[in-house]
Amino acid sequence: MPTLYDYPRAPSPRRARILLAEKGIAHDTVVVDLAAQEQLSDAFRAINPACTVPALVLDDGAVLADNAAIAAWAEAAQPEPPLFGRTPLEKAEVASWNARIEGECFMAIAEAMRNSAPAMKDRALPGPNNYAQIPELAERGRARLLDFLTRFEAHLASRPYVAGEFFSLADITAGVALDFARVLRIDASEGRPHVAAWRARLAARPAFSL
C-alpha cells in the first residue's frame, strides 16, 4: 500500500487526500509536522529533497513528490472514475482549467499568505531555502485572487463543474484553493451565487470532508 506524507492543516496535501479518496486508492499516512519544520529534517529530505508535502511513496519505493505526479499516477493506476475527463476535448479542458486555477488562484492565495503571515517570516516560498517576505506581493496576491473570483463566478454560471458537466481534478484543485482563501479572510461564496452552488455540490462529496 502506498504511503502518503501529509500535514492535515495544509492545502496541498489535502488535494492529494481528496484525489486518492475519489479514486478509492487505499494508503497509509505519515504526518509531517510543518509547524515544527519537520519537512526540513534530514529524514524527510531523504524522501523528498524539495522539502514539501504531499509526497507519495509507492510499493516499489518510487517517490511521487508533488500533486501533479500523484494525480497522473492515480489516473493511470485506477482509471475509474476518471478525473481527467474521457474525451480528448474533456481532457484538454481539465488540463487547462487545472493549470489556470493553480497559477491564477492557488498561487495568488499562497503569495498573499506567505508574504504577510508572521509565521511565514523568512519562509515566503516553500522548499529547502529561506526567502524574505515582500509585502507588495501579498497585496498583489490578494488582488489577483479577487480578479480570478470575478471570472470564476461568470464561468460557473453556465456549467455545474469547472470543466463542464462532470466532476474532475480541476474541481479538487479549485475547491481546496477556495477553502484555503479563508486564511485571507475571503469567503469565495459571498456575493457569488454560482460559486456558492458549486461549492455546495463539492461539499456533498464525502472526500471533501477530508
Side-chain angles (χ1 to χ4, degrees), residues 104 108 141-151 186 192:
E104 299 176 19
R142 188 180 184 91
R144 289 176 62 210
L145 172 62
L146 294 174
D147 288 341
F148 173 83
L149 287 173
T150 298
R151 289 179 278 115
I186 292 175
R192 301 178 184 93

Side-chain angles (χ1 to χ4, degrees), residues 56-140:
L56 187 69
V57 180
L58 304 182
D59 293 341
D60 63 1
V63 179
L64 308 179
D66 53 55
N67 274 302
I70 293 169
W73 170 82
E75 187 80 349
Q78 180 66 41
E80 295 292 334
L83 293 179
F84 284 67
R86 293 188 183 275
T87 70
L89 182 57
E90 287 177 356
K91 291 176 185 293
E93 282 287 298
V94 172
S96 177
W97 271 101
N98 196 63
R100 193 178 309 179
I101 292 159
E102 285 186 335
E104 299 176 19
C105 178
F106 218 117
M107 291 303 102
I109 299 165
E111 185 176 73
M113 184 274 288
R114 296 190 76 99
N115 283 285
S116 62
M120 292 288 117
K121 179 177 170 56
D122 295 324
R123 296 293 301 163
L125 291 172
N129 301 311
N130 290 339
Y131 293 97
Q133 292 175 323
I134 302 174
E136 291 81 3
L137 290 182
E139 296 173 11
R140 186 183 74 176

Side-chain angles (χ1 to χ4, degrees), residues 1 6 19 34 43 127 138:
M1 194 157 44
D6 193 357
L19 178 130
L34 302 188

